[in-house]
Amino acid sequence: MSAELAIVYAALILQDDNIEITEDKLQALVKAAGVEVEPIWFSLYAKALAGQNLAELLTNVGQPGAGPAVAVGGAAAGGAADAPAEEAKEEEKEESDDDMGFGLFD
């Protein structure tokens, strides 16, 4: 079993028992399982999962997140968003004229 997988399983066990995920608790579970893990991983996972609800994260996998909210906010900007799009089209036309009459393998 990999070290990262052991820590993830330990975090899931703690979450399932409604116990706060801390570095010490992760370390105790992994040690009890007999898996050798570098100490840095415990602090990384504990910090990353602090205040997170793993059950909610797992049940919302594949669900749309904040993507539509960003699209709505961009549409509300109106004409300001149209100007950069026109400039980008003009730049693309200039870049397409890069053919200098020779190829990579000539």
Side-chain angles (χ1 to χ4, degrees):
M1 177 184 300
S2 71
E4 293 85 5
L5 190 59
I7 295 174
V8 169
Y9 284 153
L12 290 172
I13 290 169
L14 292 172
Q15 176 68 33
D16 190 47
D17 289 339
N18 294 322
I19 299 173
E20 182 182 0
I21 299 172
T22 64
E23 184 177 347
D24 295 332
K25 292 175 185 172
L26 289 172
Q27 199 167 24
L29 280 172
V30 171
K31 184 178 179 182
V35 179
E36 292 184 24
V37 177
E38 293 181 33
I40 187 70
W41 290 109
F42 298 113
S43 63
L44 288 175
Y45 275 89
K47 289 177 184 176
L49 297 173
Q52 299 291 328
N53 184 354
L54 289 181
E56 184 178 316
L57 288 174
L58 291 173
T59 56
N60 290 332
V61 171
Q63 301 248 344
V70 173
V72 171
D82 294 336
E86 291 175 10
E87 291 177 13
K89 289 180 183 176
E90 290 176 14
E91 289 177 13
E92 289 177 14
K93 290 179 184 177
E94 291 175 11
E95 292 175 8
S96 66
D97 295 333
D98 289 342
D99 185 19
M100 303 191 84
F102 59 91
L104 181 63
F105 299 106
D106 288 342

